[in-house]
Amino acid sequence: MARRDKRFQKIHSEGIGFGGRIEILRDSRTGVCYLWRNDGTGGGLTPLLDAQGRPLQEHGL
């Protein structure tokens, strides 16, 4: 079976205390960056936006 590349790449991660984490993920197909936050009991995912309110795209990371 052929190996498949991961679609989402973790480009930043940091702990925020009490088991919580903030991570920035990049979609390798679209280049759109997302903020993921979890605290052990729940989490949330949202796209990062530029100054004009469009999804932040980083193709060269």
Side-chain angles (χ1 to χ4, degrees), residues 6-51:
K6 292 183 179 180
R7 179 162 181 180
F8 293 95
Q9 302 166 338
K10 187 186 313 182
I11 59 174
H12 180 78
S13 180
E14 64 183 77
I16 56 173
F18 301 107
R21 295 206 68 72
I22 292 177
E23 297 178 346
I24 297 177
L25 307 172
R26 186 176 68 86
D27 184 331
S28 62
R29 293 184 192 168
T30 65
V32 173
C33 294
Y34 297 88
L35 177 71
W36 165 253
R37 193 230 189 258
N38 74 332
D39 63 8
T41 60
L45 180 71
T46 188
L48 293 176
L49 305 176
D50 66 13

